[in-house]
Amino acid sequence: MGLDIVQFLENKTILVTGATGFLAKIFVEKILRIQPNVKKMFLLIRAADEQSAACRLHEELIEKKLFDVLRQKCAPNLGSIPEKLHALPGDISSENLGLNDSYLRSEMWREIDIIVHSAATTTFDDRYDTALAINTYGAKHVAEFATRCVNIKMLLHVSTAYVCGKKSGVIPEKAFSMGETMSGSRKLDVNEEKLLSEGLISELREENASEEEITIALKKLGLQRARLHGWPNTYTLTKAMGEMMMRHHLNWNVSLAVVRPTIITSTLKEPFPGWLEGFPFRGIDNIAINYGRGKINSYIGDPDTIFDVIPVDMVVNAMIVAMAVHANQPSYMVYHVGSSMCNPLRFSDFRDFSLKYFTDNPLTDEDGKLVKVGKLILVDSMESFQKHLTQYYTLRSKEHNNSKSLHANLKRNINIAMRVAELHRPYTLFKGIFDETNTKALRATAIENGVDLESVFRFDPRYIDWEDYFQRILLPGISSAFKLKRAML
Ligand SMILES: NC(=O)c1ccc[n+]([C@@H]2O[C@H](COP(=O)([O-])OP(=O)(O)OC[C@H]3O[C@@H](n4cnc5c(N)ncnc54)[C@H](OP(=O)(O)O)[C@@H]3O)[C@@H](O)[C@H]2O)c1
């Protein structure tokens, strides 16, 4: 059988959650660019009302540079495309996704062909109650909503490869069973976790604790529960429970593809190379920019750690191919979308590429002086990191004639760097490699069915030349986003 993905998308109605986020925005753009005759895209957006949701749709999607290629294609404006986009004020942490209009809900249950669930809180150490409500119960609400859609062809759930917890070796694309933990100790009861966080809130309120104290306690609770059950942080624990809830609450007749990307980075190719969300910088972008700005000279990490990064457009292509392959065939499959298995990038490569780039293209520091970067020192403990940072700041302060700004911010800068490094540590010292047997099989099925994986839906990481990507695309993209932001301040 042949599979024409562009034709498959024609006249389809797709519900997308998390459309104002980094990943889903690029997904929406690509769908509209390859198939302007998609019937409708319902975009669930957190907003007080329809008008504010529409406003966010324009400001955070349509008016972004990301949509320039599409704009040119449909010159002079976006033609009929905005009419295809329906911004819905909603919230996945509520039943029915917070959609209060029963008439609209019935229309959606009748019309929706595909659901792409990308919304999440991606903060590693968010409040436990918040992360549970969005990442865990949000998945449940999406599954229940999907179950009511009478014409649904498939549901695509975006998870993360790091739901694997603190594993090493080759990590399989294995689905969770309900209540499974990574520590193998006791059973994980999702409802009990929720009751625990609610109990802590009531207790603290009775003690007249301030909102700030409650937030601190709930952040701590999330990290404690994650570590108890064998996950590195609140984000990965609640995303893992989200996968469990998604499968448990979804009608078994609905096809489910769980896409687990690794660390998502700027576009490699589409709609143009180097698009990234920018501020606030996250993950590898955050490490690179702080190194380039001279905020850090060392970091916690092993030079041999494989940094599993994957350009966002490849993730989007994998999602679209999985959508088309899974539609209409009841199945449940997990896909790793990363690079560690077949095109590994080591932390030492990242360090070398960054050294070369920021030596050739230096940024300026707070005092407007060009930053001369040295080779990033990789250390294996937080104590050692703190020692290196303290020496570095003391030295820089002297070099800058005891610059007041550097001196005043010394403690603050060290504290921030330590806090971020503590959260990054499970990733920068990670010892696993993500198996991609299912993802390879997905590519093979697509090729057998005539899908153009070369120029339209490429998601084979073997095609990435890391040095070229870092020097010509990722690092310049991060630098310009930083300069732009600085110019606006
Ligand atoms: N970025 C990565 O490196 C990475 C790696 C692996 C997996 N992932 C997964 O990929 C997906 C997308 O990530 P991303 O990087 O695009 O995240 P992101 O930029 O932080 O975007 C998250 C999106 O979720 C929305 N959202 C959060 N809470 C919501 C709620 N209660 N109701 C409705 N919408 C809500 C946010 O809306 P607001 O704009 O209102 O905040 C935003 O649109 C997530 O599921 C994440 O776990 C990401």
Side-chain angles (χ1 to χ4, degrees), residues 200-210 213-214:
L200 180 61
I201 298 174
S202 316
E203 210 178 283
L204 289 168
R205 291 236 160 96
E206 264 170 39
E207 291 168 12
N208 288 325
S210 66
E213 285 165 333
I214 295 177

mmCIF file of all heavy atoms in Angstrom, residues 200-210 213-214:
data_model
loop_
_atom_site.group_PDB
_atom_site.id
_atom_site.type_symbol
_atom_site.label_atom_id
_atom_site.label_comp_id
_atom_site.label_asym_id
_atom_site.label_seq_id
_atom_site.Cartn_x
_atom_site.Cartn_y
_atom_site.Cartn_z
ATOM 1 N N LEU A 200 -0.347 18.107 52.020
ATOM 2 C CA LEU A 200 0.700 19.045 52.444
ATOM 3 C C LEU A 200 0.193 20.491 52.361
ATOM 4 O O LEU A 200 0.439 21.306 53.265
ATOM 5 C CB LEU A 200 1.953 18.862 51.563
ATOM 6 C CG LEU A 200 3.124 19.769 51.889
ATOM 7 C CD1 LEU A 200 3.645 19.554 53.308
ATOM 8 C CD2 LEU A 200 4.273 19.552 50.896
ATOM 9 N N ILE A 201 -0.566 20.788 51.307
ATOM 10 C CA ILE A 201 -1.088 22.151 51.158
ATOM 11 C C ILE A 201 -2.019 22.471 52.338
ATOM 12 O O ILE A 201 -1.892 23.520 52.988
ATOM 13 C CB ILE A 201 -1.821 22.337 49.808
ATOM 14 C CG1 ILE A 201 -0.848 22.116 48.653
ATOM 15 C CG2 ILE A 201 -2.454 23.722 49.711
ATOM 16 C CD1 ILE A 201 -1.469 22.129 47.273
ATOM 17 N N SER A 202 -2.947 21.542 52.652
ATOM 18 C CA SER A 202 -3.896 21.814 53.761
ATOM 19 C C SER A 202 -3.133 22.013 55.064
ATOM 20 O O SER A 202 -3.427 22.941 55.837
ATOM 21 C CB SER A 202 -4.866 20.662 53.979
ATOM 22 O OG SER A 202 -5.355 20.204 52.798
ATOM 23 N N GLU A 203 -2.166 21.143 55.284
ATOM 24 C CA GLU A 203 -1.379 21.229 56.518
ATOM 25 C C GLU A 203 -0.695 22.596 56.650
ATOM 26 O O GLU A 203 -0.781 23.259 57.682
ATOM 27 C CB GLU A 203 -0.295 20.150 56.421
ATOM 28 C CG GLU A 203 0.174 19.546 57.711
ATOM 29 C CD GLU A 203 1.207 18.471 57.378
ATOM 30 O OE1 GLU A 203 0.820 17.359 56.941
ATOM 31 O OE2 GLU A 203 2.386 18.773 57.529
ATOM 32 N N LEU A 204 -0.088 23.022 55.548
ATOM 33 C CA LEU A 204 0.644 24.290 55.587
ATOM 34 C C LEU A 204 -0.300 25.483 55.728
ATOM 35 O O LEU A 204 -0.004 26.466 56.392
ATOM 36 C CB LEU A 204 1.523 24.446 54.337
ATOM 37 C CG LEU A 204 2.733 23.506 54.288
ATOM 38 C CD1 LEU A 204 3.375 23.504 52.912
ATOM 39 C CD2 LEU A 204 3.760 23.915 55.333
ATOM 40 N N ARG A 205 -1.482 25.359 55.099
ATOM 41 C CA ARG A 205 -2.457 26.458 55.210
ATOM 42 C C ARG A 205 -2.928 26.578 56.664
ATOM 43 O O ARG A 205 -3.096 27.688 57.170
ATOM 44 C CB ARG A 205 -3.649 26.217 54.283
ATOM 45 C CG ARG A 205 -3.275 26.331 52.823
ATOM 46 C CD ARG A 205 -4.132 27.355 52.062
ATOM 47 N NE ARG A 205 -3.441 27.763 50.852
ATOM 48 C CZ ARG A 205 -3.629 27.247 49.638
ATOM 49 N NH1 ARG A 205 -4.541 26.309 49.469
ATOM 50 N NH2 ARG A 205 -2.943 27.685 48.601
ATOM 51 N N GLU A 206 -3.129 25.408 57.294
ATOM 52 C CA GLU A 206 -3.562 25.432 58.706
ATOM 53 C C GLU A 206 -2.520 26.109 59.573
ATOM 54 O O GLU A 206 -2.829 26.751 60.574
ATOM 55 C CB GLU A 206 -3.785 24.009 59.202
ATOM 56 C CG GLU A 206 -5.235 23.600 59.108
ATOM 57 C CD GLU A 206 -5.411 22.118 59.362
ATOM 58 O OE1 GLU A 206 -4.729 21.576 60.248
ATOM 59 O OE2 GLU A 206 -6.246 21.521 58.655
ATOM 60 N N GLU A 207 -1.255 25.959 59.171
ATOM 61 C CA GLU A 207 -0.170 26.596 59.939
ATOM 62 C C GLU A 207 0.077 28.029 59.503
ATOM 63 O O GLU A 207 1.069 28.652 59.872
ATOM 64 C CB GLU A 207 1.133 25.796 59.736
ATOM 65 C CG GLU A 207 1.124 24.437 60.381
ATOM 66 C CD GLU A 207 2.294 23.573 59.907
ATOM 67 O OE1 GLU A 207 3.232 24.089 59.271
ATOM 68 O OE2 GLU A 207 2.235 22.362 60.169
ATOM 69 N N ASN A 208 -0.835 28.552 58.660
ATOM 70 C CA ASN A 208 -0.728 29.924 58.142
ATOM 71 C C ASN A 208 0.561 30.188 57.377
ATOM 72 O O ASN A 208 1.122 31.287 57.435
ATOM 73 C CB ASN A 208 -0.836 30.950 59.279
ATOM 74 C CG ASN A 208 -2.239 31.028 59.787
ATOM 75 O OD1 ASN A 208 -3.188 30.891 59.011
ATOM 76 N ND2 ASN A 208 -2.379 31.222 61.099
ATOM 77 N N ALA A 209 1.031 29.180 56.668
ATOM 78 C CA ALA A 209 2.253 29.362 55.875
ATOM 79 C C ALA A 209 1.957 30.312 54.711
ATOM 80 O O ALA A 209 0.822 30.385 54.219
ATOM 81 C CB ALA A 209 2.707 28.016 55.323
ATOM 82 N N SER A 210 2.976 31.049 54.283
ATOM 83 C CA SER A 210 2.785 31.977 53.162
ATOM 84 C C SER A 210 2.781 31.179 51.857
ATOM 85 O O SER A 210 3.233 30.027 51.825
ATOM 86 C CB SER A 210 3.922 32.995 53.127
ATOM 87 O OG SER A 210 5.130 32.323 52.830
ATOM 88 N N GLU A 213 6.183 29.959 51.021
ATOM 89 C CA GLU A 213 6.594 28.773 51.803
ATOM 90 C C GLU A 213 5.927 27.513 51.256
ATOM 91 O O GLU A 213 6.547 26.447 51.163
ATOM 92 C CB GLU A 213 6.228 28.964 53.280
ATOM 93 C CG GLU A 213 7.158 29.931 53.996
ATOM 94 C CD GLU A 213 6.591 30.397 55.352
ATOM 95 O OE1 GLU A 213 5.352 30.411 55.539
ATOM 96 O OE2 GLU A 213 7.410 30.771 56.203
ATOM 97 N N ILE A 214 4.656 27.657 50.837
ATOM 98 C CA ILE A 214 3.941 26.503 50.284
ATOM 99 C C ILE A 214 4.612 26.053 48.978
ATOM 100 O O ILE A 214 4.827 24.863 48.744
ATOM 101 C CB ILE A 214 2.437 26.837 50.076
ATOM 102 C CG1 ILE A 214 1.776 27.098 51.431
ATOM 103 C CG2 ILE A 214 1.720 25.736 49.312
ATOM 104 C CD1 ILE A 214 0.321 27.508 51.382
#
